Amino acid sequence: MNKQQRNSEYLMYVENQSPKSAWFTSLLRAFIMGGTICCFGQMIGDVIKSFFPTMDILTVGAWVNISVITLTILLTAFGVFDLLAKYGGAGTFIPISGFANSIASCAIEYKKEGLVFGVGAKMFYVAGPVLVNGVAYSMIVGIIYFIISLF
Amino acid sequence: MKKIGKQTYVLSNGVGIRCSHALVGEKEKQGPLGKYFKDFFTDDTFGQKTFEKAERHMLLTAIEDMLKRNNISISDLDVYIGGDILNQLVTSNYVAEQLQVPFIGAYSACSSVTESLALGSLLVDGGFCTKVLCSACSHFSAAERQYRYPLEFGNQRQAYSQWTVTGAGCSVLDKFATDMPKITKVCFGKVVDFGILDIANMGAAMAPAACDTLTAFLNDTKTAPADYDFIATGDLGKLGSDIFRELMSKNNYDIGNNYIDCGHMIFSSTQGCMQGGSGAGCSASVFSAYIYQKLKSKKFKKALLLATGALMSTTTNQQGDPIPAVSHLIMLEA
């Protein structure tokens, strides 16, 4: 048996043996966690609106983002956020909280390598790919949208 | 000393292990082997500024405690052989600088404990050295930032992943320790690659290496697993050790009930470590605190230890190269 054949058989065997994550509980927990974070954001928005009824919706949204980001960074610094994420998975990662945590956790971790080459260079180690892909895909969508709008 | 078969070396008199000592973190102390881990520390930074420094401090403390308790002076040591899993073996290198003993760095990832003991026993048995210091260690937080993500980054671990053990194990091989547990045979493993790409599934990457080495050893010595009253693999974890059993049975060897895996044994299923422990400190601390002590009290007469190492680098892994693995074996007799 050649190596390639042996390896592909072994990979299939390992795939069958490896335990899978419990998808139903994972989804349910992500739903609960993601929902809670979004409800919290909505609550902040509603409270701000009740105090400043004339504020426009975009400014309210910005304040909501600022609040969620600040709270996430505080929870990350106190070492609580990773425990929430262990429970909530994508529910904590997909809202802006995940993005804030990825930057804050890198900043904390790489502070030991100094402010310039540690924090400065590695702060976007996890968030960087998200940003690059986000911008790249928005460009593609933008071009498609432009072409469609011509007809 | 002579070589038998393809990979196995028989030491003429056996090389005694004068003393062996383990120092572990709090999580390891809380695990099923807690009562065997006499020495532990609760602050994972060990009072240091970085986790790399903490790992170094842990290893140096373990070595110094062992030497002091056994009245061995550093100047008696001929050679120090050590390994860890950080890039450039920084932990062992810095500790060797502190000790000022001629140093041989032994890198085979989590198989460092058996690699260093095997090399050390050959040096002693060959008559080149009288006392050789061997060590291996790892630290969860230092390994995590090198191989995975920042500590506070919120993510979920795969169900088949493992948890790096915070711990150090060290031993002194001594030509004159003839009444102590002895290394009688060593078998150096070949590097195998079964195409595993997933850095989280180290058990699956290493199981074929353990199988390859154990099969070679059994063939070379013309023995069967039942001839040994204890067989331990390093850090295959639960999944890896199940695969290992299966692979061995394909080679017509039934591993039987005398088999344990240090990684599977060190953490309980409630500690959130998925398949169990990993890291060079895993097999090293279990060997020093558990296996060595059992041999010393003659509970085990003949044991095999196969530490297993996943030799991955994050660079080549990201470039799409599979994880090579190796396993070195030592045979111990009470």
Side-chain angles (χ1 to χ4, degrees), chain B residues 199-217:
Chain B
I199 209 160
N201 203 347
M202 290 189 295
M206 296 187 292
C211 169
D212 191 77
T213 305
L214 185 58
T215 307
F217 177 79

Side-chain angles (χ1 to χ4, degrees), chain B residues 76-81 101-104 123 129 131-134:
Chain B
D76 292 343
L77 301 170
D78 294 308
V79 173
Y80 166 36
I81 307 176
V101 175
F103 173 64
I104 303 172
L123 284 174
C129 300
K131 281 193 178 68
V132 177
L133 170 67
C134 299

Side-chain angles (χ1 to χ4, degrees), chain B residues 8 30 77 95 103 114 153 163 185-186 188 191-192 197-198 211 216 273 283 303 307 312 333:
Chain B
T8 307
Q30 288 162 352
L77 301 170
V95 167
F103 173 64
T114 45
F153 177 58
W163 187 279
K185 293 189 181 85
V186 304
F188 293 106
V191 173
V192 301
L197 294 163
D198 189 344
C211 169
C273 303
S283 41
M312 74 255 189
E333 283 181 70

Side-chain angles (χ1 to χ4, degrees), chain A residues 3 6-7 10-11 13-14 17-19 76 79 82 85-87 89 93 101-102 105-106 109 112-113 125-126, chain B residues 49-51 145 148-156 159-160 193-196 201 204 207-208 239 243 246 275:
Chain A
K3 187 177 162 187
R6 180 199 71 182
N7 285 8
Y10 182 66
L11 284 175
Y13 165 72
V14 169
Q17 291 289 309
S18 300
T76 304
D82 58 324
K86 208 169 141 188
Y87 175 85
F93 193 75
N101 165 255
S102 72
S105 61
C106 287
E109 188 73 46
K112 289 153 192 159
E113 276 88 4
Y125 164 61
V126 179
Chain B
K49 277 202 180 120
T50 67
F51 292 120
R145 72 201 303 268
R148 294 174 196 95
Y149 293 112
L151 280 186
E152 298 303 332
F153 177 58
N155 65 339
Q156 285 178 326
Y160 49 77
D193 159 23
F194 271 55
I196 298 289
N201 203 347
L239 171 66
I243 296 175
E246 176 75 23
Q275 299 300 314

